[in-house]
Amino acid sequence: MEQLSYATRTMLLAATALCGGGVVAQGAPMILPTTLAADSMTRSGTQGPYNYGGNKTLYGVAPSQLVWLRFTLPSYNSTLLSDATLTLYAANDTISNVTLEFFALNDDTAGTTEAWIEGTYTGATTAGGDTSDDNWLTHNNQPGGYLSEGSGTNKVTKLGTKVVSSSAKNTPYTFANTDSSSNALVNFLKADSNSSVTFMVRATGTTAIAVYAREDTSNLWQTTIPTGESTLALTIVPEPTSLSLLGLVGMALLRRRRH
């Protein structure tokens, strides 16, 4: 019978041991982009029936103003999701020591609560008159029961908070899974069933955050912010590549050697 070299036997034995021990080669992380499908803001009080879908700047501060963002997710295996980062770009000149709150609209298999319409007004009421705008997003018709936390449809999940120690105009506000409570961001995305997710953001205290909307098409986007809008990036780790095949070959060759 053909003799195997010492180096070949060592390599095959190692591969066989790795295979038998369940050791696998981990895939490199991959970043998946998403699509910003809609962005808007809502205001309470006398502006409750107003739509701001056409605004170039969106404002959020508790309890009266809320930034809304809806993303369309790509087709992917959500079990591989390891991280995600939501990024908004500051339109404030300068803010400091502001706490941002991040919420997510609970998944709705039918997609009815997540199908809110951005609209095109910049602060006009949708109440009465032309009925074509009746379903455009306002504080008075917003889904989620105005940040009513809990499980089930038409409720929201508070993902967590993040303190902005200082920020200047055009700089990013980021919120990653590590900023969320108990992996809330990744868990929320994994629970999605219709490839559509909605986030709501606001500042606490008296200082509102101001973020650019996708309606802002100024040269800013070509120079400072190439994306031109808020983004949601998903990080997945591809399924591990098993050493099973190499291990099987090794066991076959070693068995052949013994005989």
Side-chain angles (χ1 to χ4, degrees):
M1 286 294 180
E2 178 185 356
Q3 298 294 317
L4 297 176
S5 68
Y6 174 78
T8 301
R9 292 200 307 272
T10 302
M11 179 188 71
L12 293 175
L13 283 169
T16 303
L18 287 173
C19 178
V23 178
V24 294
Q26 191 73 49
M30 297 174 56
I31 305 297
L32 300 180
T34 63
T35 302
L36 180 61
D39 58 4
S40 189
M41 60 174 281
T42 54
R43 282 178 167 167
S44 61
T46 58
Q47 296 175 319
Y50 284 35
N51 171 262
Y52 294 90
N55 271 30
K56 293 183 178 181
T57 303
L58 308 175
Y59 299 90
V61 63
S64 60
Q65 301 174 17
L66 199 59
V67 175
W68 288 75
L69 304 167
R70 184 174 69 235
F71 293 91
T72 300
L73 304 183
S75 177
Y76 76 109
N77 183 351
S78 63
T79 63
L80 305 180
L81 185 66
S82 64
D83 198 4
T85 302
L86 177 64
T87 303
L88 303 85
Y89 291 96
N92 300 73
D93 287 330
T94 302
I95 65 172
S96 59
N97 298 318
V98 172
T99 299
L100 304 184
E101 294 182 305
F102 293 83
F103 301 86
L105 187 62
N106 287 359
D107 190 48
D108 171 19
T109 303
T112 52
T113 59
E114 293 172 286
W116 53 271
I117 301 173
E118 179 176 346
T120 60
Y121 290 160
T122 56
T125 179
T126 63
D130 184 0
T131 58
S132 65
D133 61 11
D134 285 356
N135 293 321
W136 290 2
L137 181 70
T138 69
H139 173 85
N140 289 355
N141 69 14
Q142 63 183 322
Y146 190 51
L147 302 184
S148 176
E149 297 181 45
S151 59
T153 301
N154 210 32
K155 297 284 187 178
V156 303
T157 297
K158 185 172 183 178
L159 301 176
T161 61
K162 186 171 184 178
V163 177
V164 177
S165 56
S166 64
S167 177
K169 195 171 185 177
N170 305 337
T171 57
Y173 300 127
T174 60
F175 184 80
N177 187 56
T178 52
D179 298 313
S180 66
S181 305
S182 304
N183 295 317
L185 179 54
V186 162
N187 290 338
F188 165 73
L189 291 167
K190 284 184 174 182
D192 174 71
S193 63
N194 57 13
S195 299
S196 180
V197 292
T198 292
F199 299 100
M200 296 83 83
V201 186
R202 68 181 183 183
T204 62
T206 58
T207 302
I209 59 162
V211 298
Y212 289 109
R214 59 180 183 162
E215 281 73 18
D216 191 317
T217 56
S218 67
N219 290 331
L220 171 68
W221 304 131
Q222 285 74 48
T223 56
T224 308
I225 308 172
T227 58
E229 56 195 26
S230 300
T231 62
L232 174 66
L234 310 179
T235 302
I236 66 168
V237 178
E239 290 178 330
T241 303
S242 175
L243 293 175
S244 298
L245 181 59
L246 181 57
L248 290 173
V249 171
M251 287 186 286
L253 287 175
L254 289 173
R255 188 177 297 110
R256 180 169 176 253
R257 166 69 179 84
R258 294 190 185 101
H259 291 80

